[in-house]
């Protein structure tokens, strides 16, 4: 929760993101954003464990994206997620030297009381 209150990524969060990318092998890019829509953490490894240079994404403002706006408006009683149809993403394409095809997925990060942190 502290990383979403205006601080940079913590080693624990970074390790968690990288571990999820490698374990589930369906994620090309995983971002964590604060409640203002600033990217505070992202994976730095690929599904196969190679290094991924994502440092330029930190601080990026995603507040105008549909996925961010939808997640920030989900009431505490709603356990839904936002997801896209099959699409292409230019950031993923650039990072992975691919066409960036895939499905985007977003879910709000909440504190124990159910308040959205990012």
């Amino acid at each position: 929760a502290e990383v979403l209150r205006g601080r940079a990524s913590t080693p624990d969060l970074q390790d968690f993101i990288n571990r999820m990318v490698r374990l589930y092998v369906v994620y090309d890019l995983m971002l964590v954003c604060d409640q203002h829509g600033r990217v505070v953490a992202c994976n730095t490894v690929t599904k196969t464990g190679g290094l991924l240079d994502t440092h330029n994404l930190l601080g990026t403002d995603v507040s105008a994206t549909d996925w961010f706006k939808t997640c920030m408006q989900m009431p505490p009683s709603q356990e839904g997620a936002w997801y896209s149809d099959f699409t292409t993403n230019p950031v993923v394409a650039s990072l992975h030297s691919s066409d960036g095809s895939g499905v985007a997925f977003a879910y709000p990060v909440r504190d124990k009381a159910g308040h959205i942190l990012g």
Side-chain angles (χ1 to χ4, degrees):
E2 288 303 312
V3 71
L4 298 177
R5 291 193 175 106
R7 297 188 176 156
S9 179
T10 65
D12 287 343
L13 177 59
Q14 189 65 64
D15 289 345
F16 174 77
I17 291 171
N18 287 338
R19 190 170 45 253
M20 292 300 100
V21 168
R22 292 199 62 204
L23 286 174
Y24 289 99
V25 300
V26 296
Y27 302 114
D28 291 312
L29 180 62
M30 185 178 287
L31 307 174
V32 176
C33 307
D34 67 15
Q35 62 184 327
H36 304 289
R38 286 185 307 268
V39 176
V40 295
C42 47
N43 59 302
T44 57
V45 298
T46 65
K47 299 181 232 190
T48 59
L51 295 179
L52 190 64
D53 185 6
T54 55
H55 76 278
N56 63 326
L57 297 176
L58 296 174
T60 300
D61 183 355
V62 297
S63 62
T65 63
D66 288 341
W67 59 266
F68 182 80
K69 290 189 281 189
T70 299
C71 286
M72 291 304 292
Q73 295 172 3
M74 287 184 183
S77 61
Q78 185 177 348
E79 285 295 324
W82 177 94
Y83 55 92
S84 72
D85 289 330
F86 198 75
T87 187
T88 58
N89 183 296
V91 175
V92 171
S94 176
L95 286 170
H96 292 280
S97 300
S98 68
D99 65 358
S101 295
V103 175
F105 172 85
Y107 192 84
V109 176
R110 299 177 188 267
D111 64 14
K112 291 179 183 180
H115 301 106
I116 296 174
L117 301 175

